[in-house]
Amino acid sequence: MPDPRVPTGNVTGVPQVPGRAVGGAGRRTTGPVTLMDVARRAGVSLATASRALNGGERRVREDLRERVIAAAAELDYAVNTQAQAVARGRSNVVGLLVHDIADPYFSSIAAGVMRAADEHGLIVTLSTTMRQPEREAGYVASLRGQRARAVILAGSRVDDPGLAERLQRELAAFEATGGRIAVIGQNRLPADTVLVENRATARELAVALAGLGHRRFAVLAGPKRLITAGDRVRGFTEGLADAGIDLGPDDVVHGDFTRDGGYETMHALLARGFDATCVFAVNDVMAVGAMAALREHGVRLPEEMAVAGFDDIATLRDVTPALTTVRIPLEEIGAAALSLVAQPRAERPRLRRVPGEVVLRESTARIG
Amino acid sequence: MPDPRVPTGNVTGVPQVPGRAVGGAGRRTTGPVTLMDVARRAGVSLATASRALNGGERRVREDLRERVIAAAAELDYAVNTQAQAVARGRSNVVGLLVHDIADPYFSSIAAGVMRAADEHGLIVTLSTTMRQPEREAGYVASLRGQRARAVILAGSRVDDPGLAERLQRELAAFEATGGRIAVIGQNRLPADTVLVENRATARELAVALAGLGHRRFAVLAGPKRLITAGDRVRGFTEGLADAGIDLGPDDVVHGDFTRDGGYETMHALLARGFDATCVFAVNDVMAVGAMAALREHGVRLPEEMAVAGFDDIATLRDVTPALTTVRIPLEEIGAAALSLVAQPRAERPRLRRVPGEVVLRESTARIG
DNA sequence: CTGTTAGCGCCTTCAA
DNA sequence: TTGAAGGCGCTAACAG
């Protein structure tokens, strides 16, 4: 159960919700069953009913306790969590902020968050920026209004000082009201962070690809301001340098962080002409788009062109040729982020490093 | 903005949250800024402040209104939506119930729900059953506790009278407290429904495949109790019958509704031996799993075996050979469901029919 | 148009 | 252990 304190109702199977009339002095309205109703039916006070139902410490006599629980079940009572939150000053909801929930990267993270939230008895509200990072701050403000217990920022940080400052202020305000914060991706905010080793693993990937005999590369780099994308490009460049390979500015082309982004930049590259044996797309979804574009141009994969991605998206593991990529444990990352915010705040921000793993598959054949 | 009534704060850019001391009689606590603080700073009453900030109808003098808004901005005030909901008796949250958010079918629907929710100023809380339909009722109860404005059931209905009855009772209770309900998929619940024409379109698909010359089929049917899966199998069987083709019980094998389900049942089928030129998997994710299994067995696609799926998952549009499938407008379905629950309840449940569209691609070559 | 005053449903001291 | 009562932050009559 998501929250053990919430009576599931219907234990007795008596569908008594509409038109119930309690005790001698029935309630006037037909609105939701309230704790008052339960208390009256059980013949106890409001306070006792509250303690019996919620009671962290069991300081209520057993028979009364049972009567209250029975009454709650009979009336199909469900505690008003909003009122509970107002009275207690804090709620049980965690806000999850993503750029696009249809993107498998985010939906995998979300799955992990949901699983962990369930275990912790927390409720998750979802917000999507529609890939407009400038909306993040507004959502954090909204979550502060909801008195959310925590917020998880799953989207990549953005290279924009103005935005970052506005977001930081909003986060500070959120935290000032007792909210917890976790960031997934980069360690650029003074908050608990699940750091994905984009740069280091992209570097390993480059070395591995060079080891396969590739010497000339093109990079589909994603949006310029997205730090996740930038880190991957940087790491990749470094890895190539390790192998004595130089990546010219013309070899790096920018575009959207989506399938269509990969498709279009690949098309542009093909139209312009380029000299490489291997294309690195900074995420799998783009890589798949690039593969489609290459095929349309009659380029045979992997013989005539190698392609590598990043993330190891589960749904994409069956594309052909199988995609060389970096495995990122997205679901675990989501779960880890939720665990962080479920814990009380530490003195210093916690940092959880998550390594990636290079996975060489058929899309990058050995050459030379 | 998600909710125009929620002041975004930080309009002035004064980071005044922690340690503010208002007017002569500063507040004792350092807790969240309250409407009372705003009212005091603006020199108006609580009611006026409330009206100025929320004011559906603008019945507050302009200068006062401005003073209140300025005060709110200076204090970085964010209305406590929980308290608001308690006072008003209803909240702005909609519960979205899916089986698995990592499944692209559900994440696409979720994307549509999010987009529409944003337009309507509603907040979405996500719940996942982890593919255990018996958990649905519990989540509806939890949403009743949250005083959610509505719930959207995105997962397939299940063929289980006991479960259905428990869910119905829970939904009735939810509705009795003023909640709205929308169901995606089958029209088996007395609630607004976005009906996906699984059966009719599966039938069309079968006819189309028969038109390609196929005469012997195998069906990866998914779980027995999942009605979405069942409807697709039924429609497909009917379509074959239209073409004078009989589908024997041995030609239909059950398994999970996932990629691995498709992979494993296909493997089982191959191990057992079967006589078909075309495999129909009841969703795309399973179809991709089946393709992987076929390849492992050295079966060439599509020459030696045709494969068809269902849903037209965007992320899977680039598999090779391109997958024949039925296009379902998942995002629009999600948006439609949200629109239904955003409207006031009608006398009779609304029904929105969503047709699918057969998309023939390379995975099902013409034979004969 | 503005302010006063009850609530909304629940939790939680504070006495008993 | 139990109950009465005040308070959480906000809204919505109801008077002015």
Short mmCIF file of all heavy atoms in Angstrom, two decimals, chain A residues 219-253:
data_model
loop_
_atom_site.label_atom_id
_atom_site.label_comp_id
_atom_site.label_asym_id
_atom_site.label_seq_id
_atom_site.Cartn_x
_atom_site.Cartn_y
_atom_site.Cartn_z
N VAL A 219 30.08 14.05 -34.37
CA VAL A 219 29.31 14.03 -33.12
C VAL A 219 28.01 14.80 -33.29
O VAL A 219 28.01 15.97 -33.69
CB VAL A 219 30.14 14.65 -31.97
CG1 VAL A 219 29.31 14.72 -30.70
CG2 VAL A 219 31.41 13.85 -31.73
N LEU A 220 26.91 14.12 -33.01
CA LEU A 220 25.61 14.80 -32.95
C LEU A 220 25.45 15.24 -31.50
O LEU A 220 25.18 14.42 -30.62
CB LEU A 220 24.50 13.85 -33.37
CG LEU A 220 24.73 13.11 -34.70
CD1 LEU A 220 23.47 12.33 -35.10
CD2 LEU A 220 25.10 14.09 -35.81
N ALA A 221 25.62 16.53 -31.28
CA ALA A 221 25.91 17.00 -29.93
C ALA A 221 24.70 17.45 -29.13
O ALA A 221 24.83 17.80 -27.96
CB ALA A 221 26.92 18.15 -30.00
N GLY A 222 23.53 17.48 -29.73
CA GLY A 222 22.37 17.94 -28.98
C GLY A 222 22.40 19.44 -28.79
O GLY A 222 23.21 20.15 -29.41
N PRO A 223 21.54 19.96 -27.93
CA PRO A 223 21.43 21.41 -27.73
C PRO A 223 22.68 21.96 -27.07
O PRO A 223 23.26 21.32 -26.20
CB PRO A 223 20.23 21.55 -26.80
CG PRO A 223 19.53 20.24 -26.84
CD PRO A 223 20.56 19.22 -27.14
N LYS A 224 23.04 23.14 -27.45
CA LYS A 224 24.26 23.75 -26.91
C LYS A 224 24.19 23.99 -25.42
O LYS A 224 25.15 23.80 -24.70
CB LYS A 224 24.53 25.08 -27.62
CG LYS A 224 25.30 24.90 -28.90
CD LYS A 224 25.64 26.23 -29.54
CE LYS A 224 26.41 26.03 -30.82
NZ LYS A 224 26.15 27.05 -31.84
N ARG A 225 23.03 24.43 -24.95
CA ARG A 225 23.00 24.86 -23.55
C ARG A 225 22.75 23.72 -22.56
O ARG A 225 22.84 23.92 -21.35
CB ARG A 225 21.95 25.95 -23.37
CG ARG A 225 20.54 25.51 -23.66
CD ARG A 225 19.60 26.67 -23.34
NE ARG A 225 18.21 26.26 -23.44
CZ ARG A 225 17.20 26.94 -22.95
NH1 ARG A 225 17.42 28.08 -22.33
NH2 ARG A 225 15.97 26.51 -23.08
N LEU A 226 22.42 22.54 -23.06
CA LEU A 226 22.13 21.42 -22.17
C LEU A 226 23.43 20.83 -21.65
O LEU A 226 24.24 20.29 -22.39
CB LEU A 226 21.35 20.36 -22.94
CG LEU A 226 20.10 19.80 -22.27
CD1 LEU A 226 19.20 20.94 -21.80
CD2 LEU A 226 19.34 18.91 -23.24
N ILE A 227 23.59 20.85 -20.34
CA ILE A 227 24.88 20.46 -19.78
C ILE A 227 25.12 18.97 -19.90
O ILE A 227 26.24 18.53 -20.13
CB ILE A 227 24.98 20.95 -18.33
CG1 ILE A 227 25.04 22.48 -18.37
CG2 ILE A 227 26.18 20.38 -17.64
CD1 ILE A 227 25.12 23.13 -17.04
N THR A 228 24.07 18.18 -19.77
CA THR A 228 24.23 16.74 -19.98
C THR A 228 24.84 16.48 -21.35
O THR A 228 25.80 15.70 -21.49
CB THR A 228 22.87 16.04 -19.87
OG1 THR A 228 22.40 16.14 -18.54
CG2 THR A 228 22.99 14.57 -20.25
N ALA A 229 24.29 17.11 -22.35
CA ALA A 229 24.80 16.93 -23.70
C ALA A 229 26.24 17.44 -23.79
O ALA A 229 27.12 16.77 -24.33
CB ALA A 229 23.91 17.67 -24.69
N GLY A 230 26.48 18.61 -23.22
CA GLY A 230 27.81 19.19 -23.28
C GLY A 230 28.86 18.31 -22.61
O GLY A 230 29.95 18.10 -23.14
N ASP A 231 28.50 17.77 -21.44
CA ASP A 231 29.45 16.90 -20.74
C ASP A 231 29.81 15.68 -21.57
O ASP A 231 30.96 15.22 -21.57
CB ASP A 231 28.84 16.44 -19.41
CG ASP A 231 28.90 17.52 -18.35
OD1 ASP A 231 29.56 18.55 -18.60
OD2 ASP A 231 28.29 17.34 -17.28
N ARG A 232 28.82 15.15 -22.24
CA ARG A 232 29.09 13.95 -23.04
C ARG A 232 30.01 14.28 -24.21
O ARG A 232 30.92 13.51 -24.54
CB ARG A 232 27.77 13.34 -23.52
CG ARG A 232 26.97 12.76 -22.37
CD ARG A 232 25.60 12.24 -22.76
NE ARG A 232 24.90 11.74 -21.57
CZ ARG A 232 23.69 11.19 -21.59
NH1 ARG A 232 23.03 11.04 -22.73
NH2 ARG A 232 23.14 10.76 -20.47
N VAL A 233 29.78 15.42 -24.81
CA VAL A 233 30.65 15.83 -25.92
C VAL A 233 32.07 16.06 -25.41
O VAL A 233 33.06 15.61 -25.99
CB VAL A 233 30.11 17.11 -26.58
CG1 VAL A 233 31.11 17.62 -27.62
CG2 VAL A 233 28.76 16.85 -27.22
N ARG A 234 32.15 16.74 -24.28
CA ARG A 234 33.46 17.05 -23.72
C ARG A 234 34.23 15.78 -23.40
O ARG A 234 35.39 15.61 -23.77
CB ARG A 234 33.27 17.88 -22.45
CG ARG A 234 34.47 18.74 -22.10
CD ARG A 234 33.99 19.85 -21.19
NE ARG A 234 32.71 20.33 -21.71
CZ ARG A 234 31.69 20.74 -20.96
NH1 ARG A 234 31.79 20.77 -19.68
NH2 ARG A 234 30.56 21.13 -21.53
N GLY A 235 33.57 14.87 -22.69
CA GLY A 235 34.22 13.62 -22.35
C GLY A 235 34.66 12.85 -23.59
O GLY A 235 35.77 12.31 -23.65
N PHE A 236 33.78 12.85 -24.57
CA PHE A 236 34.10 12.12 -25.80
C PHE A 236 35.33 12.72 -26.47
O PHE A 236 36.23 12.01 -26.92
CB PHE A 236 32.89 12.17 -26.74
CG PHE A 236 32.95 11.18 -27.87
CD1 PHE A 236 32.62 9.85 -27.66
CD2 PHE A 236 33.33 11.58 -29.14
CE1 PHE A 236 32.67 8.93 -28.70
CE2 PHE A 236 33.40 10.66 -30.17
CZ PHE A 236 33.06 9.34 -29.96
N THR A 237 35.35 14.04 -26.52
CA THR A 237 36.49 14.72 -27.12
C THR A 237 37.78 14.38 -26.38
O THR A 237 38.82 14.11 -26.99
CB THR A 237 36.26 16.25 -27.06
OG1 THR A 237 34.98 16.53 -27.62
CG2 THR A 237 37.33 16.98 -27.84
N GLU A 238 37.69 14.37 -25.08
CA GLU A 238 38.86 14.04 -24.27
C GLU A 238 39.33 12.61 -24.55
O GLU A 238 40.54 12.35 -24.66
CB GLU A 238 38.54 14.19 -22.79
CG GLU A 238 38.36 15.63 -22.34
CD GLU A 238 37.69 15.73 -20.98
OE1 GLU A 238 37.34 14.67 -20.40
OE2 GLU A 238 37.50 16.86 -20.52
N GLY A 239 38.37 11.72 -24.66
CA GLY A 239 38.73 10.33 -24.92
C GLY A 239 39.44 10.19 -26.26
O GLY A 239 40.41 9.44 -26.39
N LEU A 240 38.94 10.92 -27.24
CA LEU A 240 39.59 10.87 -28.55
C LEU A 240 41.01 11.43 -28.44
O LEU A 240 41.95 10.87 -29.01
CB LEU A 240 38.79 11.67 -29.57
CG LEU A 240 37.42 11.09 -29.96
CD1 LEU A 240 36.80 11.90 -31.07
CD2 LEU A 240 37.54 9.62 -30.36
N ALA A 241 41.14 12.50 -27.68
CA ALA A 241 42.47 13.07 -27.49
C ALA A 241 43.40 12.04 -26.85
O ALA A 241 44.56 11.91 -27.24
CB ALA A 241 42.37 14.33 -26.62
N ASP A 242 42.86 11.31 -25.89
CA ASP A 242 43.66 10.24 -25.28
C ASP A 242 44.21 9.29 -26.34
O ASP A 242 45.31 8.75 -26.21
CB ASP A 242 42.79 9.41 -24.32
CG ASP A 242 42.39 10.19 -23.09
OD1 ASP A 242 42.97 11.27 -22.86
OD2 ASP A 242 41.48 9.74 -22.37
N ALA A 243 43.40 9.09 -27.37
CA ALA A 243 43.80 8.16 -28.42
C ALA A 243 44.54 8.87 -29.55
O ALA A 243 44.74 8.31 -30.62
CB ALA A 243 42.58 7.44 -28.97
N GLY A 244 44.86 10.13 -29.28
CA GLY A 244 45.61 10.88 -30.28
C GLY A 244 44.77 11.34 -31.46
O GLY A 244 45.29 11.62 -32.54
N ILE A 245 43.47 11.44 -31.23
CA ILE A 245 42.59 11.87 -32.32
C ILE A 245 42.07 13.25 -32.03
O ILE A 245 41.64 13.55 -30.91
CB ILE A 245 41.42 10.88 -32.48
CG1 ILE A 245 41.96 9.49 -32.81
CG2 ILE A 245 40.45 11.37 -33.54
CD1 ILE A 245 40.91 8.41 -32.79
N ASP A 246 42.07 14.07 -33.02
CA ASP A 246 41.61 15.44 -32.84
C ASP A 246 40.22 15.58 -33.44
O ASP A 246 39.94 15.09 -34.53
CB ASP A 246 42.59 16.39 -33.53
CG ASP A 246 42.35 17.82 -33.08
OD1 ASP A 246 42.25 18.03 -31.85
OD2 ASP A 246 42.23 18.69 -33.95
N LEU A 247 39.35 16.25 -32.70
CA LEU A 247 38.00 16.46 -33.19
C LEU A 247 37.87 17.94 -33.56
O LEU A 247 37.96 18.81 -32.70
CB LEU A 247 36.99 16.08 -32.10
CG LEU A 247 35.56 15.82 -32.52
CD1 LEU A 247 35.50 14.66 -33.50
CD2 LEU A 247 34.72 15.52 -31.29
N GLY A 248 37.66 18.22 -34.82
CA GLY A 248 37.53 19.60 -35.25
C GLY A 248 36.15 20.14 -34.96
O GLY A 248 35.21 19.38 -34.73
N PRO A 249 36.02 21.46 -34.92
CA PRO A 249 34.71 22.06 -34.63
C PRO A 249 33.66 21.67 -35.67
O PRO A 249 32.48 21.58 -35.35
CB PRO A 249 34.99 23.57 -34.65
CG PRO A 249 36.31 23.72 -35.34
CD PRO A 249 37.06 22.45 -35.15
N ASP A 250 34.08 21.44 -36.88
CA ASP A 250 33.12 21.06 -37.91
C ASP A 250 32.57 19.65 -37.70
O ASP A 250 31.54 19.28 -38.26
CB ASP A 250 33.78 21.10 -39.30
CG ASP A 250 33.83 22.52 -39.83
OD1 ASP A 250 33.38 23.43 -39.10
OD2 ASP A 250 34.32 22.71 -40.96
N ASP A 251 33.25 18.88 -36.90
CA ASP A 251 32.81 17.51 -36.68
C ASP A 251 31.71 17.42 -35.63
O ASP A 251 31.17 16.35 -35.39
CB ASP A 251 34.00 16.65 -36.23
CG ASP A 251 35.12 16.66 -37.26
OD1 ASP A 251 34.80 16.74 -38.47
OD2 ASP A 251 36.30 16.59 -36.87
N VAL A 252 31.44 18.53 -34.98
CA VAL A 252 30.43 18.55 -33.92
C VAL A 252 29.24 19.39 -34.37
O VAL A 252 29.39 20.59 -34.59
CB VAL A 252 31.02 19.13 -32.62
CG1 VAL A 252 29.97 19.16 -31.53
CG2 VAL A 252 32.23 18.31 -32.18
N VAL A 253 28.09 18.76 -34.50
CA VAL A 253 26.91 19.52 -34.93
C VAL A 253 25.82 19.45 -33.86
O VAL A 253 25.61 18.41 -33.24
CB VAL A 253 26.36 18.99 -36.27
CG1 VAL A 253 27.30 19.38 -37.40
CG2 VAL A 253 26.18 17.50 -36.23
#
